[in-house]
Amino acid sequence: MRRRPFLDQRRPSFKRRWQQRPWWVRLALSLLLALACVLLLAVLLGSPDPGASPSTTTASSGSGATSSPLLRQRSYLEGITDGLNMTDEMLSARSFSRQLMDQIHLAKTYVVAAKEANNLQFAAELSAQIRRAQSILAHAAAHGGTVMEQEAEKAIRDMSVLLFQAQQLRYDSGITIMKLKGQIQSLEEKSKAEAEKSTKYGQIAAEELPKGLYCLGVRLTMEWFKSPELQRKFSDRSPAVQSNLRDNRLYHFCVFSDNILAVSVVVNSTAINSKHPEKIVFHLVTDELNYAPMRAWFAMNDYRGVTVEIQKVEDFTWLNASYVPVLKQLQNAATQKFYFSGSGSRGTPVKFRNPKYLSMLNHLRFYIPEIYPELQKVVFLDDDIVVQKDLSELFTINLNGNVMGAVETCMETFHRFHKYLNHSHPLIRAHFDPDACGWAFGMNVLDLIEWRNKNVTGIYHYWQERNADHTLWKLGSLPPGLLAFYGLVEALDPKWHVLGLGYTTVDPATIKEGAVLHYNGNMKPWLKIGMEKYKGFWDSYVDYSHPLIQQCFMR
């Protein structure tokens, strides 16, 4: 049988096929290829250099050239230099960094919602993706460069899938808000607990005697007992000085305190800012422990001719349990338990166990007419104040038949009667307006003639006896003061007495205009917890050059 000849079915080569084409086709194709090469070369030479500055790029692109949005975005990303500012990158709506940050914030919210729904697997996936995105941003920030497009696109896409799943799981905005409200409530409870701790520790710190004050008291006591000369300054007083103590033509101030340094600031600031310091008489009362050092200090220091009288509360023998309700109540077992019990959840709050509430120096203000029977008008000052103006004008203020002149504190409801007194008690509810304005102890003008005529001390005793079970008010001297002087207070200009420097922020203009600055609150200026921005007003009246001050206070 004759075999059929083999047919060559191989594809002709490119060279063979090119040669088989007519000459004019080959010429046309060659010209087109050459033109394409020229155009490609022109495009490559006209594209902006990634390392070139914006001005160079603009110049080489031609005045009429415009680029597409995609080219603009790629030019922005590729034109970032090594000195990239990540803050600017985050603020740019076109940057991958901004997209990653927005996704991270939203994903964190969904993590909270997923955990609340007990979908821990999904929460873990979200958390892992959050860490991945954060790692990309951190790497870019650490190296001063931009987020790379290839890694950012994948991270954004993967996160978008998870966020879409979160929406499918009904983690919508309404549910998320409800979950976040629960978180906020929990944080508020924690914040409240921390605030209570802060108040407690602040109260404890306020009650502590600073080392410097203790040192000063000890050294002054030693100076007093080893120096007969200091003792003679108080025992051998001239008749003129003795007469000043009873002369109603002079300006009489009284301070009851066991803080020697604080009292010295009160006296010093009053004397320095007085037009006639020689007319000022200070009546100081302290306790047995501080009696000797207080006398030593004022015997060693002269305050522009101010007359100073120092007494101790233990010498007032008429202040006894048969006359003073507070002292009588302290002998009662139930009262002692109320004051001193701090154990258990039902114990008395720490702020009510402050020793000052039990000190007779704190309640002595209600017996001023009996302590100074020959005086007609005095100005009572707390020991935590600084005087900035001349106070002689206080003695000419017309009280219009009232017993006391005081600055009211009723600018807000927080300082009205219902804040200090138990208005659910029928006795309080029947006699006092819950919205009546409160007023401040600390700088008070007292007409002792009207005081005696209206028997204010007797009214004070009446309400103290009714409060033996502590149902009318808790502790302190202000609540019984509000009751005893109710309807007998003349409102003074607020500039006379600026409050709040020991617990809040006070308007600087108000401080500048104030005559008396009061550090009421726990943050006293002589304590480390005192507010630094207000300590300067107090420090300026402390003589830190005094040898004993230098020995006891390290500045």
Side-chain angles (χ1 to χ4, degrees):
M1 180 175 173
R2 191 178 179 181
R3 180 176 296 183
R4 298 176 62 182
F6 175 78
L7 298 178
D8 188 2
Q9 296 179 349
R10 291 177 299 174
R11 187 176 181 181
S13 65
F14 174 79
K15 180 179 180 180
R16 182 179 179 185
R17 285 187 285 116
W18 176 259
Q19 291 176 350
Q20 290 177 352
R21 296 182 185 275
W23 67 269
W24 58 269
V25 173
R26 285 180 286 172
L27 178 62
L29 291 175
S30 298
L31 292 174
L32 288 175
L33 181 61
L35 181 61
C37 292
V38 170
L39 291 175
L40 179 61
L41 181 61
V43 170
L44 292 176
L45 292 177
S47 62
D49 183 7
S53 63
S55 60
T56 306
T57 303
T58 303
S60 63
S61 62
S63 59
T66 59
S67 58
S68 67
L70 178 59
L71 288 178
R72 284 201 303 270
Q73 180 178 355
R74 293 184 60 81
S75 175
Y76 167 77
L77 292 173
E78 295 173 354
I80 298 297
T81 63
D82 290 340
L84 173 71
N85 187 323
M86 285 303 294
T87 301
D88 295 338
E89 175 78 358
M90 294 297 182
L91 295 177
S92 173
R94 297 179 298 173
S95 72
F96 292 120
S97 301
R98 173 69 174 273
Q99 296 178 53
L100 286 172
M101 284 300 301
D102 290 343
Q103 285 188 331
I104 288 173
H105 291 316
L106 184 57
K108 285 183 177 180
T109 303
Y110 284 136
V111 167
V112 175
K115 289 182 178 179
E116 290 291 333
N118 203 28
N119 193 346
L120 301 182
Q121 177 63 30
F122 184 67
E125 293 177 3
L126 276 173
S127 298
Q129 192 60 36
I130 290 172
R131 290 193 294 271
R132 177 185 174 188
Q134 290 174 334
S135 176
I136 293 174
L137 293 173
H139 182 270
H143 291 79
T146 184
V147 175
M148 301 302 295
E149 180 179 358
Q150 55 270 27
E151 62 178 350
E153 285 184 346
K154 188 175 187 310
I156 292 172
R157 183 176 63 254
D158 293 345
M159 181 71 85
S160 298
V161 173
L162 290 177
L163 296 178
F164 177 76
Q165 292 178 6
Q167 295 175 357
Q168 298 304 308
L169 291 170
R170 303 183 64 84
Y171 296 155
D172 56 13
S173 59
I175 295 177
T176 302
I177 289 173
M178 292 178 62
K179 301 298 183 182
L180 291 178
K181 282 184 177 179
Q183 294 293 324
I184 291 173
Q185 183 178 359
S186 176
L187 291 174
E188 287 178 346
E189 292 175 355
K190 292 180 180 179
S191 176
K192 182 179 179 180
E194 293 301 321
E196 291 177 353
K197 288 182 181 179
S198 177
T199 300
K200 177 179 179 180
Y201 296 143
Q203 185 68 47
I204 294 173
E207 295 173 13
E208 294 297 321
L209 179 66
K211 180 177 66 175
L213 291 181
Y214 174 78
C215 167
L216 182 62
V218 171
R219 291 187 177 277
L220 285 171
T221 300
M222 295 171 59
E223 291 292 330
W224 175 261
F225 286 108
K226 74 178 184 181
S227 175
E229 181 180 353
L230 291 179
Q231 299 178 27
R232 280 196 297 270
K233 286 188 177 182
F234 274 93
S235 59
D236 301 335
R237 289 201 158 185
S238 65
V241 172
Q242 296 291 339
S243 175
N244 287 346
L245 302 178
R246 301 182 298 274
D247 190 346
N248 284 292
R249 295 171 299 178
L250 303 181
Y251 308 132
H252 294 267
F253 298 88
C254 60
V255 183
F256 309 139
S257 173
D258 57 1
N259 189 325
I260 301 167
L261 190 63
V263 173
S264 72
V265 169
V266 176
V267 176
N268 191 30
S269 61
T270 305
I272 288 177
N273 292 288
S274 175
K275 297 177 182 177
H276 303 285
E278 71 281 357
K279 294 184 177 181
I280 293 177
V281 181
F282 264 96
H283 303 270
L284 310 180
V285 180
T286 188
D287 55 16
E288 179 73 39
L289 181 63
N290 293 280
Y291 184 50
M294 187 83 76
R295 286 188 293 171
W297 178 264
F298 285 98
M300 295 168 63
N301 299 278
D302 178 70
Y303 294 97
R304 300 184 64 197
V306 170
T307 301
V308 178
E309 176 191 32
I310 301 175
Q311 298 173 279
K312 59 181 177 180
V313 67
E314 287 80 4
D315 287 340
F316 303 146
T317 55
W318 46 270
L319 285 174
N320 51 61
S322 62
Y323 179 62
V324 179
V326 171
L327 294 177
K328 181 179 180 180
Q329 292 166 13
L330 283 174
Q331 297 177 354
N332 182 276
T335 302
Q336 292 178 2
K337 182 178 180 181
F338 177 82
Y339 281 132
F340 301 112
S341 175
S343 60
S345 59
R346 296 184 180 181
T348 305
V350 65
K351 68 177 181 178
F352 292 134
R353 299 200 303 273
N354 193 325
K356 75 175 185 178
Y357 293 134
L358 309 179
S359 171
M360 274 309 301
L361 290 176
N362 190 44
H363 292 271
L364 209 58
R365 63 193 69 192
F366 295 104
Y367 301 95
I368 292 176
E370 296 168 81
I371 300 173
Y372 311 110
E374 297 176 314
L375 297 182
Q376 298 175 357
K377 181 174 286 189
V378 300
V379 171
F380 169 78
L381 297 175
D382 267 340
D383 62 359
D384 54 350
I385 64 103
V386 167
V387 177
Q388 293 192 133
K389 311 274 186 184
D390 179 56
L391 300 184
S392 59
E393 200 177 315
L394 289 172
F395 293 86
T396 62
I397 292 178
N398 184 4
L399 297 181
N400 298 313
N402 290 306
V403 176
M404 175 188 289
V407 169
E408 292 182 335
T409 57
C410 57
M411 289 71 72
E412 47 188 302
T413 57
F414 181 82
H415 294 292
R416 296 184 185 270
F417 267 45
H418 63 77
K419 170 62 181 178
Y420 305 100
L421 304 170
N422 178 19
H423 275 272
S424 64
H425 195 287
L427 194 59
I428 296 294
R429 188 169 60 249
H431 291 86
F432 303 99
D433 178 9
D435 291 324
C437 289
W439 44 266
F441 267 134
M443 196 292 297
N444 307 97
V445 183
L446 301 172
D447 186 333
L448 301 187
I449 297 176
E450 290 295 333
W451 183 315
R452 298 181 185 101
N453 292 338
K454 293 180 170 61
N455 191 24
V456 174
T457 301
I459 299 173
Y460 163 74
H461 283 173
Y462 171 85
W463 288 111
Q464 280 286 9
E465 290 169 353
R466 296 299 179 278
N467 194 45
D469 56 358
H470 311 288
T471 56
L472 303 186
W473 69 87
K474 292 299 182 182
L475 292 173
S477 57
L478 181 56
L482 296 176
L483 303 183
F485 291 95
Y486 186 69
L488 303 175
V489 178
E490 180 72 14
L492 301 179
D493 189 320
K495 293 180 180 180
W496 282 112
H497 188 187
V498 177
L499 298 154
L501 277 74
Y503 74 94
T504 188
T505 299
V506 185
D507 180 28
T510 302
I511 293 178
K512 184 177 180 180
E513 294 294 325
V516 171
L517 306 181
H518 195 171
Y519 293 83
N520 56 313
N522 286 333
M523 293 182 281
K524 305 299 185 187
W526 55 84
L527 299 175
K528 289 184 178 180
I529 62 173
M531 301 178 74
E532 291 293 336
K533 59 183 176 181
Y534 299 139
K535 279 188 175 183
F537 302 112
W538 192 83
D539 279 338
S540 62
Y541 295 103
V542 178
D543 183 10
Y544 285 105
S545 65
H546 194 285
L548 294 181
I549 297 292
Q550 290 186 341
Q551 293 174 19
C552 294
F553 294 86
M554 302 298 294
R555 300 195 70 226

